[in-house]
Amino acid sequence: MMIRAFFNKSLLRFGIIAGLICISSSPMALAKESITFTDVTKETGITFKHTDGSSGEFYIVEAVAAGLALFDYDNDGDIDIYFLNGSPLKGTKSKTAPKNALYRNDGNFKFTDVTEQSGLGDTGFGLGVTVGDYDNDGDVDVYLNNHGPNVLYSNNGDGTFTDVTKKAGVGDGDHVGAGTCFLDIDNDGDLDLYVARYVVFSYDKHKAIKIRDYLAYQGPNFYALPPDGLYRNNGDGSFTDISESSGIGEYNGSGMGIICADYDNDGDTDIFVANDNMENYLFQNDGSGKFEEVGLMAGVAYNFNGKQFASMGVDCGDYDNDGLLDFYVTSYVKQSTSLYKNIDDGLFEDVTSSAGAGDGTFASMTWGTGFADFDNDGDKDIFIATGHLQTNVEKFSEHMVYNTRNEVLMNTGDGKFVNITEKAGGGLKVELSSRGAGFDDLDNDGDIDVVILNTKSGPTILRNDTNNSNHWVQIHLKGTKSNRDGVGARVKVVTKDLSQIDEVHSGRGYQGHHGSRLYFGLGEHKKIDRIEIRWLGGGVDVLKDVKADQLITITEGENPEK
């Protein structure tokens, strides 16, 4: 979140020229049918409006709110939406306390506000959220990483939730929250909890800056930076803080988005932390739940030029179908996003420029992001939520605006991307200041839709109206020996010459959660030759000759590899 007053025109020209070179070098991309999104927000019945709790004092926590979560809270087969909200900060008065909001999916893009009956209407200052079945009872629970005390809600299995924070021991003190993830750090079959923390903030140490005599948000480097937290699941509904003994507590940082994934293919789950205005962290798991920070050695701490960025959100996926998970990181205005290609042996290469993966992102501040195959052609595209954090930026800059449009990069199938935002439908003409974004099939029609939380405004709901004859499969995992959600499990889908992988993640993007179901586009293939699931702990299940265009639930141990 670097604060700069002046626009560097030469760098902008360089970014535009580089983007044009990438587009002109990918003629295949221009021949493909475009991905199309339609803004259906008004049709959904969703009336939620985000507040950042601001009073005109420009407290730093206002600028970094907030994430959202997409998940099936009531196990009815539909993906529901949970929006985080702010709360009044010092100097702000509110007649009614703002709350987080849960909307039940009733099908066909119709939603009902069930916040009150669900018990999920937390009134804390929401920043990050993750979802996972921490108690392995068959329904998903919700963890909130707030500014102030955090909250763990246990799902009662009847559409309601109970605050079990005190019993679980995961209130995490009085911090400024950020991204958070459930993960199984030691392959023991239950979900542990990673909690990122942003800055050490207090009202008495707050100080806004001035740009051309206008107040603006201070950057994170003005504040002391805290270490993140890691909690081990004790298996009895409680957690133990192992931040120090695990190695996580040795590193102070300005964590924002995080994702947990097995980047080095050694059978355990590692942790990527996108830090704001400093190097990123990559915590390598030794298999027992102890971690070593290897970001610099792995090649993801800085960008290609060795510069630190103001990283915001992060997602991972195998964009080039080589069997290795790659990372995509969003950043501040006048800083391109970054695509880190996994080149095996625990190493990454910044291929942003050569892959065209930063095209159109240099002039915008970028936040929520995700790899998703929006056109079901068998490779992962990229969606990027954008918007400035300085609410009054137009007053002190001639080149930047607060509300901007989001961006879509289409995968051309040859390891490159092309920005198709201009022709991606009316849904990409919406201009607001976006933060969190989630990607799931909201209407169960086989393609991935988009939900965006816009700060100080209502959300944007985008229906995927891409028109082609491509096939797909959705996979829902159910663990038995491993954790119930299958978090950390690796899935491979093989259709003749097309081989794809993905993992189940709990927590991702910009301080949010989505994608508990795995989505695979199959192109023209009507049948899948082989689906292979490698569960945490070593078990393998295999399905063969599977029909396309369906949602499959796979239970651990029911189809063991012979």
Side-chain angles (χ1 to χ4, degrees):
M1 198 176 61
M2 298 174 63
I3 310 301
R4 298 171 185 246
F6 302 103
F7 195 80
N8 190 321
K9 294 182 180 179
S10 62
L11 284 178
L12 176 63
R13 286 196 294 268
F14 175 80
I16 294 173
I17 293 170
L20 291 173
I21 292 172
C22 291
I23 293 174
S24 63
S25 64
S26 303
M28 288 177 54
L30 302 180
K32 291 179 67 174
E33 294 184 24
S34 181
I35 296 163
T36 302
F37 292 104
T38 303
D39 179 7
V40 296
T41 310
K42 292 182 180 179
E43 305 168 20
T44 63
I46 294 173
T47 58
F48 170 81
K49 184 176 180 180
H50 178 262
T51 175
D52 63 0
S54 56
S55 63
E57 297 295 328
F58 286 81
Y59 299 119
I60 190 172
V61 295
E62 303 164 16
V64 295
L68 61 88
L70 304 182
F71 63 105
D72 184 3
Y73 85 97
D74 52 1
N75 284 334
D76 67 349
D78 295 314
I79 299 298
D80 310 296
I81 306 175
Y82 187 55
F83 296 106
L84 299 195
N85 213 345
S87 62
L89 300 173
K90 185 177 180 180
T92 301
K93 295 181 179 180
S94 178
K95 292 182 180 179
T96 58
K99 298 179 180 180
N100 297 347
L102 177 66
Y103 282 88
R104 185 186 66 221
N105 189 338
D106 297 326
N108 197 29
F109 280 93
K110 302 296 182 183
F111 292 82
T112 299
D113 187 340
V114 294
T115 306
E116 292 303 319
Q117 53 263 52
S118 70
L120 282 183
D122 187 65
T123 57
F125 197 104
L127 290 169
V129 58
T130 190
V131 175
D133 188 359
Y134 81 94
D135 50 5
N136 284 332
D137 65 351
D139 45 47
V140 289
D141 312 296
V142 177
Y143 184 76
L144 302 177
N145 195 3
N146 291 333
H147 163 42
N150 294 347
V151 184
L152 175 62
Y153 286 103
S154 177
N155 193 325
N156 299 319
D158 59 0
T160 67
F161 292 79
T162 299
D163 181 345
V164 295
T165 312
K166 185 175 181 180
K167 175 185 175 182
V170 290
D172 199 54
D174 187 8
H175 296 286
V176 178
T180 181
C181 291
F182 283 116
L183 72 158
D184 187 352
I185 61 173
D186 48 9
N187 295 353
D188 66 349
D190 53 34
L191 292 175
D192 310 296
L193 180 64
Y194 189 96
V195 184
R197 302 162 184 159
Y198 184 47
V199 297
V200 179
F201 171 82
S202 62
Y203 288 114
D204 62 326
K205 293 183 179 179
H206 160 70
K207 183 180 180 181
I209 62 171
K210 281 193 174 182
I211 302 177
R212 295 184 180 178
D213 293 326
Y214 292 99
L215 285 177
Y217 292 109
Q218 183 66 260
N221 298 92
F222 173 79
Y223 300 92
L225 301 180
D228 292 342
L230 182 64
Y231 293 87
R232 186 191 301 276
N233 192 327
N234 298 323
D236 60 359
S238 68
F239 292 77
T240 297
D241 187 341
I242 59 166
S243 307
E244 294 299 327
S245 61
S246 67
I248 298 297
E250 297 179 21
Y251 297 89
N252 291 26
S254 50
M256 297 194 83
I258 66 173
I259 193 164
C260 302
D262 184 8
Y263 79 92
D264 51 2
N265 290 340
D266 64 351
D268 52 47
T269 303
D270 313 294
I271 304 167
F272 189 111
V273 182
N275 284 315
D276 186 1
N277 207 16
M278 60 175 287
E279 71 271 20
N280 299 317
Y281 290 152
L282 180 60
F283 290 107
Q284 184 182 46
N285 192 341
D286 70 355
S288 70
K290 294 185 182 298
F291 294 85
E292 178 184 2
E293 204 289 297
V294 298
L296 179 60
M297 293 184 292
V300 298
Y302 304 99
N303 75 343
F304 179 80
N305 295 315
K307 293 183 178 180
Q308 64 186 32
F309 274 0
S311 298
M312 305 290 194
V314 58
D315 198 21
C316 74
D318 182 11
Y319 81 93
D320 52 359
N321 289 334
D322 64 354
L324 302 168
L325 291 175
D326 314 292
F327 291 110
Y328 191 75
V329 185
T330 54
S331 192
Y332 199 75
V333 66
K334 294 185 285 183
Q335 296 178 352
S336 169
T337 55
S338 297
L339 174 61
Y340 295 102
K341 174 181 169 58
N342 193 329
I343 57 176
D344 209 358
D345 295 324
L347 300 175
F348 292 82
E349 178 184 1
D350 182 347
V351 297
T352 311
S353 180
S354 61
D359 181 25
T361 68
F362 186 81
S364 299
M365 191 174 300
T366 54
W367 301 85
T369 188
F371 282 109
D373 187 355
F374 293 115
D375 50 5
N376 286 335
D377 64 350
D379 50 46
K380 294 186 182 298
D381 313 296
I382 301 173
F383 191 98
I384 306 150
T386 76
H388 211 286
L389 61 84
Q390 302 289 0
T391 55
N392 57 351
V393 65
E394 289 98 336
K395 294 181 178 180
F396 56 77
S397 172
E398 300 172 359
H399 308 283
M400 290 180 283
V401 295
Y402 181 64
N403 293 323
T404 57
R405 70 179 187 183
N406 299 314
E407 305 283 340
V408 180
L409 304 180
M410 184 172 68
N411 194 323
T412 64
D414 58 355
K416 299 183 185 302
F417 294 87
V418 59
N419 191 314
I420 61 163
T421 304
E422 289 287 354
K423 58 178 182 177
L428 271 298
K429 297 185 184 301
V430 177
E431 293 186 355
L432 291 167
S433 188
S434 302
R435 294 294 185 269
F439 312 94
D440 265 298
D441 185 359
L442 297 179
D443 53 353
N444 290 329
D445 67 346
D447 54 33
I448 300 175
D449 310 296
V450 182
V451 181
I452 303 153
L453 185 145
N454 302 304
T455 187
K456 302 180 71 169
S457 183
T460 305
I461 316 298
L462 300 182
R463 184 181 65 213
N464 189 338
D465 286 334
T466 304
N467 185 19
N468 60 39
S469 58
N470 289 339
H471 299 280
W472 52 273
V473 68
Q474 299 181 16
I475 297 174
H476 174 230
L477 298 185
K478 190 176 291 186
T480 53
K481 294 180 180 179
S482 58
N483 68 83
R484 180 79 174 192
D485 289 338
V487 173
R490 175 74 60 90
V491 177
K492 177 188 286 187
V493 173
V494 180
T495 52
K496 293 185 179 179
D497 58 338
L498 177 62
S499 179
Q500 305 176 69
I501 66 160
D502 206 350
E503 276 186 2
V504 180
H505 306 292
S506 171
R508 66 197 306 176
Y510 181 70
Q511 302 179 174
H513 172 90
H514 66 268
S516 296
R517 298 176 185 172
L518 300 183
Y519 299 81
F520 294 89
L522 303 175
E524 62 183 13
H525 302 292
K526 299 180 180 180
K527 187 188 73 169
I528 301 164
D529 297 328
R530 177 183 174 93
I531 300 176
E532 177 182 295
I533 304 94
R534 294 190 174 273
W535 304 87
L536 283 184
V540 179
D541 281 290
V542 174
L543 284 74
K544 296 181 179 179
D545 299 325
V546 178
K547 184 180 177 181
D549 303 325
Q550 62 172 320
L551 168 63
I552 304 170
T553 297
I554 302 174
T555 302
E556 183 178 11
E558 289 191 352
N559 302 275
E561 186 174 33
K562 301 296 174 93

